[in-house]
Amino acid sequence: MMETSEILKKVRQIEIKTRRLSANIFAGQYHTAFKGKGMAFSEVREYQYGDDVRDIDWNVTARFNKPYIKVFEEERELTVMLLVDVSGSLDFGTQKQMKRDMVTEIAATLAFSAIQNNDKIGVIFFSDKIEKYIPPQKGRKHILYIIREMLDFHADSRLTDIGKAVEFLTGVAKRRCTAFLLSDFFDPANLQQQLTIANRKHDVVAIQVYDKRATELPNVGLMRVVDAETGEERYVDTSSKKLRQSYHRQWLQHQADLNDTLAHSGVDHVSIATDEDYVKSLLLLFKQRA
């Protein structure tokens, strides 16, 4: 467990990095990729040649004896929900950082991008149950609280049930929101129905964070392997080419099943390795949605 001073220092580091990214890179793309609720009345002004006559405000026109039109602006305010996986499998990383660290950075970047567009941010921490719910609010203070929680949060369970988090979102968010589901999708089984229902009501986006070591085993001989969620231990002989090939095939099948589930649910998604630049991956995702 980190000391309070360490947490505050880490929060500040993450704020500086992610706030710069959201300000310089993401804000415009975010605005384009995630639409508001519609058009809201802004003001009236004098009619100009070329204006749509259907926008004439007849009451104001009659009062001033010359034509005025209603001006509308896009109603931009959104509610953004971050569904953050806090199960044991996120405590793993063989490259630049742990999966949990990257999830925290991505979530913080999305949060700062959202508040620059005057959106509310809420968080659902989940394992195989709902660990904590932070209702949506606006402002920097609220985001720093969320980042601090992500850095120092300790789940009661190390297991994963993404479906429960998605069901909770559907129940707790009464109005339409944009929901980012951040997980390694260690076990994406039986997700399609919950995601389909949630995506009909909300705009759900899935962000998978994974470590390259999950894709293939190194040839290092006898290796002890521990399941991060169940604690189960076993030894595997990685010098076996057949074993390594089988492991890689299992990963490819896992990804194919996940992609199929998300596609059939209508959920946009991106997969990011812990040694990759998540900025490029998120920008590509945003551009595809624009």
Side-chain angles (χ1 to χ4, degrees), residues 201-212:
K201 182 178 180 182
H202 306 293
D203 181 9
V204 181
V205 178
I207 300 175
Q208 180 193 28
V209 173
Y210 70 96
D211 189 271
K212 289 284 180 68

Side-chain angles (χ1 to χ4, degrees), residues 35-179:
K35 309 296 186 195
K37 301 171 187 174
M39 304 302 290
F41 172 74
S42 175
E43 60 181 350
V44 293
R45 63 166 171 79
E46 282 192 53
Y47 177 86
Q48 297 174 4
Y49 178 77
D51 286 337
D52 193 333
V53 295
R54 290 173 296 182
D55 291 334
I56 291 177
D57 187 320
W58 293 107
N59 290 329
V60 177
T61 297
R63 191 182 311 155
F64 291 98
N65 204 27
K66 54 184 175 180
Y68 278 79
I69 67 163
K70 296 177 181 178
V71 178
F72 295 87
E73 292 182 351
E74 184 185 4
E75 191 178 358
R76 264 296 312 163
E77 182 179 305
L78 298 173
T79 295
V80 177
M81 292 298 302
L82 303 175
L83 281 67
V84 180
D85 188 344
V86 291
S87 63
S89 63
L90 273 291
D91 292 321
F92 181 76
T94 62
Q95 307 296 314
K96 291 182 178 180
Q97 58 186 331
M98 293 280 201
K99 288 185 283 185
R100 189 179 305 281
D101 296 332
M102 177 170 274
V103 164
T104 299
E105 279 198 23
I106 292 173
T109 303
L110 292 170
F112 277 117
S113 297
I115 64 165
Q116 288 184 35
N117 285 277
N118 202 35
D119 297 337
K120 295 180 180 179
I121 304 290
V123 181
I124 300 169
F125 291 112
F126 70 92
S127 54
D128 61 340
K129 62 180 183 178
I130 304 305
E131 296 279 351
K132 184 167 186 167
Y133 170 57
I134 302 176
Q137 291 184 35
K138 295 182 182 181
R140 173 178 175 271
K141 184 177 179 181
H142 180 62
I143 288 181
L144 294 181
Y145 166 65
I146 288 172
I147 297 172
R148 188 168 69 247
E149 284 295 293
M150 285 192 287
L151 286 171
D152 197 43
F153 190 82
H154 298 277
D156 291 334
S157 174
R158 296 186 63 80
L159 303 177
T160 311
D161 188 336
I162 300 174
K164 283 189 178 178
V166 176
E167 287 178 353
F168 183 81
L169 167 72
T170 305
V172 77
K174 302 304 180 184
R175 301 179 66 183
R176 182 174 175 82
C177 72
T178 297

Side-chain angles (χ1 to χ4, degrees), residues 23-38:
N24 297 340
I25 303 173
F26 285 132
Q29 290 290 344
Y30 171 94
H31 180 101
T32 304
F34 302 99
K35 309 296 186 195
K37 301 171 187 174

